[in-house]
Amino acid sequence: MCMRLGPRVALVVTAGALALSFVAASTASAAPGVVIMKNGGKSKQVQDPKDGQCHPGLGPDTAITNLTSGTILLFPDGNCRTKVFNPLGPGEFRSNENVGGFQALD
């Protein structure tokens, strides 16, 4: 048996579904694990990087290891704003990257 919803009920149901999806999307999560960078005598570790947050890198000639469960995006600038980025998957290592900054993707 099919039940028809009135326009107001349909609107309330739709609004509720949109509100729930917004809350789920706006909740920042972290990629569990650690990102390790080394450049000359400098080294830096970022534990559980938050999705979408830009983390400063160590610049050109950086060795970087992604030991998180998700992909990270490497950017040549420290603000992660350029349209040029380089993905680094879980468990991957690169020895000679220009890492101005990085973001966890998932």
Side-chain angles (χ1 to χ4, degrees):
M1 175 163 109
C2 243
M3 187 169 117
R4 297 187 87 185
L5 298 176
R8 287 186 181 165
V9 173
L11 180 62
V12 169
V13 170
T14 303
L18 287 173
L20 286 175
S21 66
F22 177 75
V23 168
S26 67
T27 304
S29 61
V34 65
V35 175
I36 302 168
M37 295 177 278
K38 293 186 180 184
N39 189 333
K42 300 177 191 174
S43 67
K44 182 176 183 177
Q45 294 186 11
V46 177
Q47 185 74 38
D48 301 331
K50 292 190 188 283
D51 293 353
Q53 180 179 344
C54 186
H55 301 276
L58 298 177
D61 304 320
T62 296
I64 185 164
T65 306
N66 178 8
L67 298 176
T68 70
S69 62
T71 300
I72 61 173
L73 301 177
L74 310 178
F75 291 85
D77 68 296
N79 296 320
C80 303
R81 292 193 176 175
T82 60
K83 294 188 182 202
V84 177
F85 58 86
N86 191 0
L88 187 65
E92 288 187 345
F93 165 80
R94 297 215 188 108
S95 61
N96 191 18
E97 287 291 325
N98 182 8
V99 185
F102 77 89
Q103 284 182 336
L105 184 59
D106 51 4

